Amino acid sequence: MAIRTAKHTIQEFELIRAIARRFARGASRLIQGIGDDAAVIAAAPPMWWHLTTDLLAEGVHFDLSAASPESVGYRAAIANLSDIAAMGAVPRYLLTSLAIPKTLKPAHIYQLYEGLMKACRPHGVRLIGGDTSASKAGLFVSITLIGTTTARRAMFRHGAHVGDRIYVTGTLGDSLAGLQLLMRGKTPPSTRRPLPQLRRSHRQFLVNRHLHPTARLAEGQWLNTARLATAAIDLSDGLSGDLRHICEESRVGAELDLGKIPISTACRAYAERQCLQPVQLALTGGEDYELLFTAPSKKQSTIERQARARGYRVTCIGTIRPHRFGAQMTSGDGTTQPIPMTGYEHFR
Ligand code: ADP
Ligand code: MG
């Protein structure tokens, strides 16, 4: 039985100790990690610290009947790593706070950490602390990620200028297509619209892009240190919404060339079977975690050459326009219309 102290049960202390043992490691500037009242990091030469945090609530951001604790942890880490990538920073330290319902077993918590660390480990990110509480209303997971850049060197949402080109990494819309495929798997076959089969490899690709997205850290650090981008953001809410953030913060307008938006073969095949426009998935689909950035037009050939040499997929999809132009999109037939404001929303 759990012995209650003011805040904790003995099981919670054991859980924290086990988490520390299994998932925390030392690092050169880390003076004190898990186990004291605060983590301590030695100051370093002039640096900028980048801090980002996300709170995920069961039933709002994830559903444990549809996703494993491992994938919840993985995706929570990627959401934060992607924010750090968009700043052009190097991710360093992770703090995780949990509110755990009685129904959840320690094994599930360890699986969650496996997912977190699977996303963080390849980048050398160290778990240095957190907080643990009981919950009476589902699982809550709060992640805080700390990254660094050299001082005065970072990418912001502000900074885009009229005439800059607009770029994205990777392909867009895959994650939303993957999510729709997963949801479809949950509805009984009798109520589904019969549709031509999607090739298995395409289905796997899309579902994997949803469950195991990639944070574009190498691309972000490249754009930042090579001083190529004037502004950047990660695509967590869909192209239409995230482009609008850059426009608002930079006080500019934008024109997208719909025909240029990079769509994977799998996403195209999926859209065709659903009688959807693939660009619709790209514009509204959240959680692709690609980078959207702007750069002066004179840097276009440098960007394309360096991206090719490094094996990064980067596509120019439009141009920054004056503020009064608004946010418009041009389709293949030359017609221009406002970009609809239908990004991914949590409060639906
Ligand atoms: P306090 O009462 O001072 O907040 P805690 O018992 O909450 O202390 O935490 C003790 C140590 O364990 C701290 O270093 C804290 O950062 C760490 N910790 C607590 N919960 C977690 C968790 N879920 N994951 C990682 N570290 C944790
Ligand atoms: Mg605490």
Side-chain angles (χ1 to χ4, degrees), residues 7-8 130-131:
K7 271 171 71 191
H8 301 285
D131 199 21

Side-chain angles (χ1 to χ4, degrees), residues 7-8 13 16 19 33-37 96 98 113 127-132:
K7 271 171 71 191
H8 301 285
F13 288 129
I16 296 168
I19 288 170
I34 293 177
D36 213 306
D37 293 318
T96 54
L98 306 174
Y113 275 85
L127 175 66
I128 62 166
D131 199 21
T132 310

